[in-house]
Amino acid sequence: MQIVRDLETLRRALTALRADGGCVAFVPTMGALHAGHMALVAEARRRADQVVASIFVNPTQFGPSEDLSRYPRREAGDAQMLDGAGVALLWAPDVAAMYPNGPEITVQAGPLGAELDGAARPGHFDGVATVVARLFDQVRPDVALFGEKDYQQLLVVRHMVRSLELPVEIVGVPTQRDADGLALSSRNIYLTEEERRAARALPRALGEAAQAIVEGQGVAAALAAAREKLAGAGFDPIDYVELRDAEMLAPLAALDRAARLLAAAKLGATRLIDNLPVQPA
Ligand code: AMP
C-alpha cells in the first residue's frame, strides 16, 4: 500500500491506479481504526477494483471545546490494518496539504446540518461537508463509503452530492457493534471501565424504544422511557433521543414511514451517539 501526503503525488498515484480502467472506491476516516472502519473497507473491496482510504483529523469539524488535540492518532497501526485489508493507497495529508489556503471557501451543510448533532455541535456538518467535498475533489472516486453509525453525516453527504451533482455514488454501511451492542467508535477508548459497562445502556435503550414504537406504543412515551433509562445509567446531559424520518430527518410524531431513532448523550467526558432503523410493520 502506498502512503501519500501531498496532492501532486496523489494525482500521479491515482492516474496509475486507474490505468487499467478499474473503478475506485474511497473510504474517508479520521484514523484510530477499528472493525467499523474495516467493514467500510470490506464493502469497498466488494464494489470496486481499487480501494483508496484517507486518514485526516479534520480540525474544521471540531468545536472549540471539543477533543481535537486529544483525538487518538496511531497512523502506523492504521496503515498496517488497511494494507492487510487490501487498500491500494492511503491518502494522509497534514492540515497544510489539505487546506493550503486555509478553509476560506466552505460548503454549508444546509438545514439538514442544523438538526440534532448540528444543533449540539454548531458548524460541525459544515466542516464535514467542506472536507468531504475537498476529499472527493482530490481522490475523484467512483463510489465512497460512509457508516450508518454517523447517520446524519451519511445523509448530509448524500444531500451534498445530490445538490452539487458530484459524480460519486454514496454507499451506507450498517453499524458494527461490540458484543454487548455498543457501536464501535474511536472515542470509546476515552471511557473508563465503569463508563464502558454503563455505555451498553445506549444501544439497549434505543433497541427497546424501537421495539415499543413498532409494536404501537406512542412515540413520545417510548422516547421518554429511553431518556429515563439513559439518565438512570448515568448519561448526562442527554442531547437528544428522537424519532426522525429516515430521509431528511423531519420530526415524526408517529411511525408512518421509514424512520430512524437517533440519540446523543454524554457519559462522563465522552459524548456517544447511536441510531437504529425503525420500519413501520
Ligand atoms: P471516523 O474515523 O469516526 O470519521 O469514521 C470514518 C467512517 O467510518 C465514517 O463513515 C463512520 O461513519 C464510519 N464508522 C465509524 N464507526 C463505525 C461503526 N461502528 N460501524 C460502521 N461504520 C463506522
Side-chain angles (χ1 to χ4, degrees):
M1 182 183 71
Q2 190 177 356
I3 303 179
V4 176
R5 300 184 193 281
D6 71 278
L7 198 50
E8 212 185 297
T9 313
L10 178 70
R11 289 260 149 87
R12 270 204 308 274
L14 287 168
T15 304
L17 269 192
R18 288 182 179 282
D20 307 335
C23 101
V24 171
F26 178 44
V27 179
T29 81
M30 298 205 301
L33 301 181
H34 50 64
H37 299 107
M38 300 321 285
L40 270 59
V41 171
E43 185 59 29
R45 288 209 65 190
R46 279 191 284 276
R47 287 175 180 264
D49 306 294
Q50 303 286 356
V51 178
V52 176
S54 66
I55 296 179
F56 180 65
V57 182
N58 175 37
T60 70
Q61 70 190 68
F62 286 76
S65 59
E66 291 183 1
D67 56 342
L68 173 62
S69 61
R70 67 186 187 112
Y71 195 83
R73 289 160 214 252
R74 31 171 204 255
E75 194 195 287
D78 290 346
Q80 255 180 11
M81 287 168 76
L82 294 170
D83 191 21
V87 170
L89 196 159
L90 171 58
W91 172 224
D94 64 11
V95 174
M98 180 60 76
Y99 302 118
N101 306 306
E104 289 165 341
I105 304 291
T106 60
V107 178
Q108 307 272 300
L112 200 50
E115 298 284 315
L116 301 173
D117 249 42
R121 306 178 67 190
H124 169 67
F125 288 112
D126 295 345
V128 168
T130 299
V131 79
V132 172
R134 179 101 182 98
L135 285 164
F136 284 175
D137 187 43
Q138 292 164 338
V139 176
R140 313 213 170 168
D142 300 287
V143 50
L145 296 99
F146 290 83
E148 289 183 356
K149 151 83 173 28
D150 301 281
Y151 190 75
Q152 188 174 5
Q153 167 173 283
L154 170 63
L155 292 190
V156 164
V157 170
R158 271 195 208 290
H159 196 64
M160 173 180 78
V161 162
R162 263 202 304 271
S163 186
L164 301 178
E165 299 189 72
L166 303 179
V168 55
E169 181 194 352
I170 303 302
V171 172
V173 175
T175 303
Q176 308 297 304
R177 299 176 179 280
D178 263 340
D180 67 351
L182 182 67
L184 298 178
S185 164
S186 306
R187 289 188 165 101
N188 290 352
I189 58 157
Y190 297 153
L191 297 169
T192 64
E193 255 176 58
E194 193 186 337
E195 287 166 351
R196 175 61 191 82
R197 276 193 297 278
R200 73 176 72 156
L202 177 56
R204 196 172 285 180
L206 284 183
E208 287 165 0
Q211 194 180 346
I213 291 167
V214 170
E215 286 169 357
Q217 190 183 331
V219 170
L223 298 182
R227 275 191 208 100
E228 228 167 85
K229 285 172 199 159
L230 291 180
F235 282 88
D236 180 38
I238 297 164
D239 285 343
Y240 59 82
V241 180
E242 300 235 13
L243 185 73
R244 295 290 179 105
D245 135 71
E247 294 299 318
M248 288 301 289
L249 298 181
L252 287 184
L255 184 61
D256 53 10
R257 66 194 103 148
R260 208 88 191 175
L261 186 56
L262 307 103
K266 250 180 152 178
L267 198 52
T270 308
R271 186 170 181 275
L272 299 178
I273 60 172
D274 200 353
N275 68 88
L276 287 178
V278 191
Q279 298 290 349

